[in-house]
């Protein structure tokens, strides 16, 4: 979870700046913060706010069609969004799962004792592309496999153990998995970091719907992300060349 004191990580195209921003609004005593996160990430943040009967989370200016969550309880969930109020620390905990580019924008988290805005904090969320740079084409670009079998792709992208490695498909419009761990398995997908700095991606129990273009990539905090394109063709038999 991102703490109250770690509100901003600004990433430019040439360098990374890490610093704090806290712009206060006199009329609401609320803070505005900037967050930068990656596509596919689970975004979590906490906001110090006084107690109130009504808790809400909205986008933009909190218009009628911009309200995401509004509750009179201490916890509510809507699709990918969760708001929870910690009565002990008087803190609103916010979670957005599976970030997409459309999540980018200005948000407001608040509490009140009526339908008014009450006390709130606003923040700007920027969602980085998974692939910042030109996509690198590895060799071989095409992997043939059979239904029910598995395929392992060697992603020739160097990464340090602490870097985030990920897998997506269809131009990264569909995020499949990502991890900072040396090895992780999620459903039929596995990412395994190798001793040479590269990593392997394995997909098991293949089916015809798995055919298509994929990207494996490395997400870095201080430099641009890099990706490698490859295609998987799943058939009832192995194609021999």
């Amino acid at each position: 979870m991102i703490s109250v004191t770690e509100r901003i990580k600004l990433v430019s195209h040439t360098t990374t700046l890490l610093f704090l921003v806290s712009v206060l609004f006199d009329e609401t005593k609320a803070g505005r913060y900037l967050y930068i996160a990656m596509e596919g990430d689970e975004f979590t943040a906490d906001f110090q706010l006084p107690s109130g009967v009504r808790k809400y989370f909205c986008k933009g200016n909190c218009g009628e069609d911009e309200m995401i969550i509004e509750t009179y309880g201490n916890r509510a969930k809507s699709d990918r969004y969760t708001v929870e109020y910690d009565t002990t620390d008087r803190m609103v905990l916010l979670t957005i799962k599976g970030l997409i580019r459309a999540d980018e924008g200005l948000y407001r988290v608040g509490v009140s004792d009526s339908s008014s805005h009450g006390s709130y904090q606003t923040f700007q969320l920027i969602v980085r592309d998974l692939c910042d740079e030109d996509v690198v084409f590895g060799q071989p670009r095409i992997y043939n496999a059979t239904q029910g079998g598995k395929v392992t792709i060697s992603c020739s992208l160097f990464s340090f153990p602490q870097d985030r490695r990920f897998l997506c498909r269809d131009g990264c419009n569909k995020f499949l998995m990502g991890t900072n761990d040396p090895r992780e398995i999620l459903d039929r997908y596995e990412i395994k970091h190798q001793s040479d700095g590269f990593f392997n991606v394995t997909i098991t129990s293949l089916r015809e719907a798995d055919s298509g273009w994929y990207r494996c990539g490395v997400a870095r905090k201080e430099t641009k992300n890099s990706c490698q394109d490859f295609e998987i063709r799943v058939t009832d038999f192995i194609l021999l060349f």
Side-chain angles (χ1 to χ4, degrees):
M1 179 177 293
I2 303 173
S3 69
V4 176
T5 58
E6 297 173 339
R7 293 297 187 186
I8 182 166
K9 292 184 178 181
L10 286 180
V11 182
S12 70
H13 289 292
T14 57
T15 187
T16 300
L17 305 175
L18 303 179
F19 55 92
L20 288 173
V21 167
S22 180
V23 182
L24 298 181
F25 296 94
D26 294 335
E27 66 273 22
T28 60
K29 296 183 180 179
R32 170 176 284 180
Y33 305 99
L34 174 63
Y35 295 93
I36 294 181
M38 202 77 60
E39 280 185 280
D41 276 350
E42 178 177 295
F43 172 75
T44 59
D46 52 74
F47 303 89
Q48 196 81 49
L49 288 165
S51 60
V53 175
R54 173 176 171 263
K55 294 87 178 174
Y56 65 91
F57 170 53
C58 59
K59 196 170 186 179
N61 295 318
C62 279
E64 186 174 338
D65 60 342
E66 295 175 311
M67 189 65 66
I68 300 172
I69 288 180
E70 183 178 21
T71 180
Y72 289 86
N74 288 327
R75 190 180 190 277
K77 182 179 180 181
S78 176
D79 192 23
R80 299 180 294 117
Y81 311 96
T82 302
V83 168
E84 185 171 0
Y85 188 77
D86 187 328
T87 56
T88 301
D89 296 329
R90 293 189 175 184
M91 189 171 291
V92 175
L93 310 176
L94 171 67
T95 301
I96 306 176
K97 292 187 175 181
L99 284 175
I100 58 177
R101 289 302 305 276
D103 290 324
E104 190 166 283
L106 183 67
Y107 291 88
R108 183 180 298 176
V109 178
V111 297
S112 70
D113 289 321
S114 65
S115 60
S116 65
H117 292 312
S119 298
Y120 64 86
Q121 291 188 2
T122 60
F123 67 93
Q124 182 81 26
L125 176 61
I126 295 177
V127 182
R128 285 181 62 190
D129 283 328
L130 284 169
C131 301
D132 297 299
E133 297 184 321
D134 294 335
V135 176
V136 176
F137 290 90
Q139 294 295 334
R141 288 173 49 192
I142 300 174
Y143 294 81
N144 294 301
T146 56
Q147 293 191 53
K150 70 176 183 178
V151 62
T152 297
I153 294 90
S154 178
C155 294
S156 53
L157 301 170
F158 182 81
S159 66
F160 292 103
Q162 69 271 20
D163 287 333
R164 183 165 179 264
R165 291 159 288 278
F166 60 86
L167 174 67
C168 58
R169 66 175 301 177
D170 303 329
C172 273
N173 290 317
K174 183 177 181 181
F175 184 83
L176 298 176
M177 71 171 296
T179 181
N180 294 87
D181 295 329
R183 184 188 183 195
E184 183 163 328
I185 299 174
L186 179 64
D187 192 18
R188 299 183 297 119
Y189 308 105
E190 177 186 13
I191 292 178
K192 185 176 181 181
H193 189 251
Q194 305 296 312
S195 58
D196 58 5
F198 300 136
F199 64 98
N200 289 340
V201 169
T202 300
I203 305 175
T204 60
S205 302
L206 288 167
R207 38 189 182 245
E208 190 175 352
D210 291 322
S211 294
W213 282 94
Y214 293 76
R215 286 178 181 176
C216 55
V218 179
R220 303 178 176 90
K221 290 183 178 180
E222 298 185 0
T223 57
K224 291 182 178 181
N225 301 338
S226 56
C227 291
Q228 177 178 312
D229 250 344
F230 60 92
E231 183 183 8
I232 295 176
R233 296 177 181 177
V234 182
T235 61
D236 291 329
F237 53 88
I238 288 289
L239 297 174
L240 300 177
F241 297 95

